[in-house]
Amino acid sequence: MKTNGVAGSRSGAQAAECEYVIVGAGSAGCVAAWRLLTETDARVVLLEAGSDYTSPYLKLSPGYSRLVPKGIHCTLHQTVPQVHAGNRVLEIATGRVVGGGSSVNAQVYMRGYRADYDQWGQSAGSEHWNWAALLPHFRRLEGNQKFDGEFHGSAGPLIVADPGFFCEYSRLFVKAAQALGLPFTADFNVGAPAGTGFLQFTARGGRRCSAAEAFLGQVRSNSRLRVVTRAQVQRIVFENQRAVGVEYVQGARKHLVRCGGEVLLAAGALASPQVLMLSGIGPAAQLRRFDIPVLVDLPGVGQNLHDHAGSPLVLAGNSRGYGYFRQDRGWRLIWNLLEYALFRRGRLTTVGGEATSFHATSESSVPTVQIYCVPMIAYANTGADAVPAVDGIKLHVTLLRPHSRGSLSLRSANPADLPLVDPNYLGDSRDLHNLVEGMKIAREIAATPPLRDGLTGELLPGAAVSDDEAISDYIRSTVRTDWHPVGTCRMGRDDDPMTVVSDTLAVRGVEGLRIIDASVMPNIVSANTNAPTMALADRGLSLLLARRTVVP
C-alpha cells in the first residue's frame, strides 16, 4: 500500500451539515441509517442513485407475475465477454431504488453455512467475523413468523415467513428429492443447510418486506435524516487523508455534502469499488490511466469479484395447473386478484418458487450445489436457453461456493459510465465440473416419482445431451448470474496487500471511511446474499458505534 498527499478537496471551509453520509440506500444503507438514527443523536444524509420506494408494484411479493415491471428499478450491468462461457456478454442487474436489492429481489431468506462466516474471520485474522459473531445480528434483525429461539429472532423489523401458497410442483419436487434419499429439512437457516424442503422469504401475505420498509421506514420521519434520491455520486472528498464529504450530481446540479464523522459506503459490490477508484483509492496504474490523482494505492480494489451462477434443466409439464403458467393472464389473473383482495390468500401470496434442495458433488462431503424448483418456464429467454412459453418447470442448478474469481475496473473517469465487469464465470474448471454433476442430480430428481408423473419431457438441454462433454457445452452456453456479486473490496489482514478494509471495515490508508456492503466479503456465502448483507452491515455498525466515544 502506498499513499501520497493528494487531498482531492474543493470544499473550502464549509461547516459539516451532518455527522454521517451513507452512500447507497440499499439493504446495507437502510440498516445503517436505522442504527444511527435509533442509537445516536447524529444527523445522517442518505444518498441513493435511484428512485424512492414508492411504486406499488415493488411492494408485491409474487415473482412470477408479469404485473411487476422488469428493470426500471435496476442498473443493468453488461459483463465483458465471458471467455469460459461461450464469449457471451451477460447481464447483472443491481437494485437502483431505495431498498436496493431487497426491493427487487426474489425475497429468499437464506444465511448459508457457518463455515462461510468462519472463513471471513480467518481471512481478516479477527474474532470480529465468524458465525458466532454474526448470528446475534441475524436474530436481532429478524421478525420470523414461524421460528424463534437459539437461531432465530421473532421481534425484529425484517419480516421472514413461509410463502402464503405452495404450488403442486413444489410439493412434488420435495417428495421426489426425498424419494432419492435426501432428508426433509424444516429450517435451512441454522448454519448447516442440507436436504430438501421449502424456503422462507422476506414477505408475508403477498407483501414484500424490503429494507426500505423494515429499517428505513422506522426512521424516515426523523428530522435528523435527509434522504436524497437520484443522487449520482461523483467521488468522496478528502482532506489530509480523511473523508470529509461526498460530491454528487442531482439533475444538472452538482452538490457537496460535508460530514463531521464518517462516510459509510454501501453502494454494493459493483458500485462501491467504482466510487473508491473515482475518489483516488485503488490500483495506482489504473487510476493514472484515467488521470485520477492517486490518494491511496490499493491494488485489491475491484479484484476478487465472484458470484453465484448456474444453469437450468427445463422440463415440460402436463398442463394440470401444477405451477404458475399463465396465472398472470385472463380469467386466472382475475381470480387470483379477487382471491388476494378478498381473503389475502392464493397465488399472489407467494414469490413463485418455494422449494429447494442441497447436494454434495465429488468435490466435497458438504453440499456444493443447490437446486431451485422454479414452477414456470414462460420467461422471455433468448439464446441457448430459449424455450416456448409452455407449462413446465425449471430446476436451476446453482454453485454454492464458486472457485472462479474475476475483477471490476473503470471504463473511464466519468462516474456516469458503468464499470467494466468480468465475473470470469467458469474460469476455474472445478465450477464447471460441479455444475455438470448438479445437472445430473437435477435429472435424477425429475425422473423420480411423483415429480416425474407431472412432467412430459425434457426441453433443455434435451435427451440427446447425455455425456459430460455435451452437458459441459450446454452449461457454457446457458450459465448465468444469480445476481449475488461480492468481494470487490474485501476485508483482510494488514499484511495482505490485497486487503481493502480492516476487520472494522475501515478503508486502508485513509480515515473516516468504511464500507459496509457485500463488496467486503472475502468469500461468498452459500446462500442468497440479501440477509447476509444486512447482518454484515449491522455488525459493521456495532463495530463503529463501539468506537464512538463522543456523541456528535
Side-chain angles (χ1 to χ4, degrees):
M1 178 182 67
K2 299 176 182 178
T3 66
N4 65 22
V6 178
S9 173
R10 308 185 192 97
S11 58
Q14 296 174 319
E17 66 176 274
C18 65
E19 282 70 50
Y20 296 97
V21 178
I22 304 171
V23 178
S27 295
C30 287
V31 169
W34 170 65
R35 289 290 304 273
L36 291 171
L37 270 297
T38 55
E39 297 179 36
T40 77
D41 60 0
R43 295 165 296 164
V44 178
V45 174
L46 179 60
L47 303 177
E48 168 56 41
S51 59
D52 210 341
Y53 185 73
T54 55
S55 169
Y57 296 116
L58 294 176
K59 301 175 184 181
L60 299 176
S61 63
Y64 71 85
S65 176
R66 292 186 181 180
L67 291 174
V68 181
K70 305 297 182 184
I72 63 173
H73 298 293
C74 296
T75 297
L76 304 179
H77 295 265
Q78 304 293 319
T79 70
V80 302
Q82 294 300 281
V83 175
H84 304 284
N87 281 317
R88 291 180 298 137
V89 173
L90 304 180
E91 187 174 85
I92 304 177
T94 58
R96 189 180 176 88
V97 62
V98 171
S102 72
S103 296
V104 296
N105 66 0
Q107 302 151 81
V108 175
Y109 184 86
M110 290 286 285
R111 299 174 181 173
Y113 281 81
R114 64 183 65 203
D116 300 334
Y117 300 94
D118 291 343
Q119 190 173 340
W120 290 6
Q122 293 167 12
S123 297
S126 171
E127 294 182 356
H128 288 326
W129 300 96
N130 53 46
W131 170 255
L134 268 296
L135 182 57
H137 296 276
F138 280 114
R139 293 182 67 248
R140 194 165 75 86
L141 301 181
E142 182 186 16
N144 201 295
Q145 305 298 291
K146 180 177 181 179
F147 299 113
D148 197 4
E150 178 184 0
F151 294 104
H152 291 281
S154 60
L158 184 69
I159 298 297
V160 178
D162 290 345
F165 181 87
F166 295 90
C167 78
E168 189 62 20
Y169 272 135
S170 297
R171 300 181 193 277
L172 296 178
F173 172 86
V174 171
K175 290 178 180 178
Q178 290 180 84
L180 289 174
L182 215 61
F184 179 79
T185 302
D187 184 4
F188 290 120
N189 289 308
V190 298
T196 185
F198 300 100
L199 294 159
Q200 286 201 299
F201 301 89
T202 53
R204 177 178 58 182
R207 184 179 177 89
R208 175 190 297 269
C209 183
S210 69
E213 290 196 349
F215 304 107
L216 190 62
Q218 296 196 37
V219 297
R220 191 65 186 263
S221 62
N222 194 306
S223 62
R224 292 182 285 113
L225 172 66
R226 182 162 71 95
V227 179
V228 185
T229 58
R230 304 190 186 281
Q232 176 67 56
V233 169
Q234 307 293 288
R235 65 186 183 113
I236 299 165
V237 175
F238 291 88
E239 292 178 355
N240 300 319
Q241 303 293 124
R242 181 172 186 85
V244 296
V246 177
E247 187 177 272
Y248 67 93
V249 170
Q250 186 185 47
R253 295 186 59 189
K254 184 175 289 187
H255 303 267
L256 172 66
V257 55
R258 289 180 60 88
C259 65
E262 295 196 18
V263 174
L264 304 182
L265 188 51
L270 302 186
S272 285
Q274 182 186 23
V275 171
L276 283 186
M277 289 187 279
L278 292 171
S279 307
I281 301 174
Q286 184 180 161
L287 302 185
R288 293 187 181 111
R289 186 181 313 135
F290 297 110
D291 296 322
I292 298 173
V294 179
L295 182 66
V296 186
D297 180 9
L298 281 186
V301 174
Q303 301 302 304
N304 192 46
L305 173 61
H306 53 301
D307 184 16
H308 290 137
S311 289
L313 177 70
V314 186
L315 304 132
N318 56 21
S319 299
R320 294 178 184 172
Y322 285 173
Y324 296 110
F325 179 59
R326 290 183 174 169
Q327 290 294 327
D328 54 357
R329 301 183 192 178
W331 69 266
R332 294 184 182 91
L333 172 60
I334 294 172
W335 168 252
N336 291 333
L337 287 170
L338 284 172
E339 188 176 26
Y340 175 75
L342 294 175
F343 307 109
R344 286 295 187 269
R345 70 185 188 195
R347 288 174 172 82
L348 289 181
T349 63
T350 186
V351 302
E354 303 101 6
T356 193
S357 59
F358 293 83
H359 306 270
T361 61
S362 58
E363 177 183 292
S364 173
S365 59
V366 299
T368 49
V369 296
Q370 181 179 359
I371 298 175
Y372 291 93
C373 178
V374 183
M376 67 174 297
I377 58 176
Y379 294 118
N381 294 325
T382 58
D385 59 344
V387 293
V390 298
D391 179 47
I393 65 172
K394 287 184 179 182
L395 300 185
H396 184 69
V397 183
T398 296
L399 291 166
L400 286 175
R401 285 174 293 278
H403 297 283
S404 302
R405 296 293 185 269
S407 62
L408 178 145
S409 57
L410 290 178
R411 189 181 301 270
S412 74
N414 184 351
D417 290 341
L418 295 179
L420 297 170
V421 179
D422 182 10
N424 191 31
Y425 294 124
L426 306 181
D428 189 305
S429 62
R430 291 172 292 181
D431 290 347
L432 181 59
H433 178 77
N434 284 331
L435 283 177
V436 169
E437 289 195 39
M439 191 65 65
K440 292 178 180 178
I441 294 169
R443 277 177 159 171
E444 286 186 67
I445 296 174
T448 301
L451 181 57
R452 181 188 66 189
D453 303 330
L455 304 171
T456 59
E458 181 179 308
L459 298 175
L460 290 174
V465 179
S466 57
D467 60 44
D468 285 5
E469 182 177 354
I471 296 173
S472 295
D473 287 341
Y474 168 74
I475 290 171
R476 291 188 192 97
S477 66
T478 58
V479 69
R480 66 163 180 82
T481 177
D482 275 20
W483 301 285
H484 300 156
V486 305
T488 49
C489 300
R490 70 175 179 86
M491 73 173 87
R493 299 172 183 268
D494 289 339
D495 59 358
D496 182 347
M498 301 305 287
T499 292
V500 177
V501 300
S502 70
D503 63 341
T504 62
L505 307 187
V507 175
R508 297 178 67 192
V510 296
E511 296 179 350
L513 176 61
R514 295 174 197 253
I515 307 177
I516 57 170
D517 59 33
S519 67
V520 306
M521 296 180 183
N523 54 277
I524 199 167
V525 295
S526 47
N528 302 66
T529 50
N530 188 46
T533 297
M534 293 180 186
L536 183 157
D538 196 53
R539 180 64 174 159
L541 265 291
S542 290
L543 294 172
L544 182 156
L545 295 175
R547 288 161 173 75
R548 189 173 183 269
T549 57
V550 179
V551 177

